[in-house]
Amino acid sequence: MQDYRHPAEPFRIKSIESIRLLPRKEREKILKEARYNIFKVKAEDIYIDLLTDSGTGAMSTDQWAALMKGDESYAGARSFYRFEKTIKEITGKKFIIPVHQGRVAENVFFSTVLKQGDYVPNNTHFDTTRANTQHKGGIPVDIPCPEASTEDEVPFKGNIDTQRLISFIEEKGPENIPVVFMTVTNNSSGGLPVSMANIRETADICRKHGILFFFDCARFAENAYFIKQSEPGYQDKTIKEIAQEMFSHVDGALMSAKKDGLANMGGFVAVSDEELARKIIELLIVIEGFPTYGGMSGRDIEAVAAGLQEALSEDYLAYRVGQIGYFGRIIEQAGAPIIKPTGGHAIFIDAGKYLPHIPAHQFPGQALTIELYREGGIRVVEIGSLMFGGYDPNTGEKLNAIKELVRLAVPRRVYTASHLDYVADAIARITARKDRLRGFKITRQAALLRHFTIELEQLKSEEVEVG
Ligand code: F0G
């Protein structure tokens, strides 16, 4: 019997997009011109783009067909009602408010519920969620479960630490905590899932203290698949049933549909409370659009409605999560330590461990990120001191990242095993000379979300400190 690497793609490829690898000399020049900020490199100068799984997926024939059905009416478009029905069925929430992407959901939500100095606990904030909380005067607090910082290969390392959540609520007072968030899957701590038991327990804690409980649910279908795989009692349920149960525990959810919506653009806020929905909609009309399109075209809305259904397919999720597991195994074989177990959308290399000679303030994750482009025209993203360091814009306090990670996010339905093999081969070549990699220093930066626009210089050998 053949040893299958991961369940084969449950689709065939009907349309292709050419990619090319530039010569090494050109890649070096491009890096210099981009001031070693990988966000500034043109997409056509990238061979394999693992910057994000957000909005980069391939649509199905059904989704492309649905685009033609897009109703572009300003108010009351047919496409909106299809979108609303699909999301109501999955989330069970009464009010579905469309937005063009996740961070707008964050903006309208936090603008509505936060007052200056409020705390927002989360298993781990994603960068835009953190920034939007801070932008509205809130204080984001990460409360990951204790296993998240261990090497243990336990299944639900995305969980929130419920004991610490209780002590935090008691210490700060529930009146200063309008909402508790749970990010499913937990992107910033490895794309790892949250268990139904942890969701249920967190819901109980929030209810007891009169605090709202919300999901940041960009990858809820991948999370539901992990529950089906690893949590007792869920093996015979469908992904949709599991997702419905997950949402039954929260008061609402914010979604970037660019992930498990299998769409290139889109998002929503789902809430049950009418008063809250009304306030959000009032702001939405000012900054985003009328509540039956919320910044999206009718065709985008159709693509999300169709994509959300497809993301609940178990065949698709087995391939998707299997592919990520395969990618993790070959990266480890190439000599790079990764966060384990592997999650649903990306592999996270522990660059702090891989490059122990580069201290955090010289950005080991960025050193690996830049080297992957130099070596193979591969684009990945640093998730460490470059992304999460700097200063808190409200308190001026110096911030530190918990880990120095590099994320290799896999777009949905886009790359095959050969593409992933190519990336692992490039890592193996880097591993052979990794002790000679040098860190970076910042030459220009912004206060919020600095990684998008930051400018850097690679350290010269005489500037290198030993980590
Ligand atoms: N929440 C999570 C958990 C996310 O991963 C993202 C985006 C957002 C919210 C914001 O959504 O981009 O539609 O405004 N994550 C992307 C990523 C950008 O690369 O992980 P958005």
Side-chain angles (χ1 to χ4, degrees), residues 52 101-103 106 126 128 183 187 216 219 256 259 407:
T52 180
Q101 67 180 95
R103 66 200 70 184
E106 292 160 12
F126 182 67
T128 59
T183 308
N187 185 359
D216 176 354
R219 300 174 182 87
S256 165
K259 288 81 165 171
R407 187 182 75 172

Side-chain angles (χ1 to χ4, degrees), residues 116-174:
Q116 190 72 28
D118 276 346
Y119 294 94
V120 182
N122 196 322
N123 45 356
T124 316
H125 285 84
F126 182 67
D127 59 355
T128 59
T129 326
R130 178 184 308 276
N132 269 299
T133 304
Q134 291 171 331
H135 194 243
K136 307 300 165 208
I139 305 169
V141 183
D142 291 342
I143 312 189
C145 65
E147 304 87 273
S149 51
T150 68
E151 310 272 293
D152 301 349
E153 281 200 50
V154 290
F156 294 105
K157 282 169 82 171
N159 282 352
I160 201 164
D161 185 336
T162 47
Q163 284 314 309
R164 266 174 62 211
L165 176 64
I166 294 170
S167 6
F168 185 82
I169 295 171
E170 283 166 0
E171 185 197 324
K172 302 295 181 191

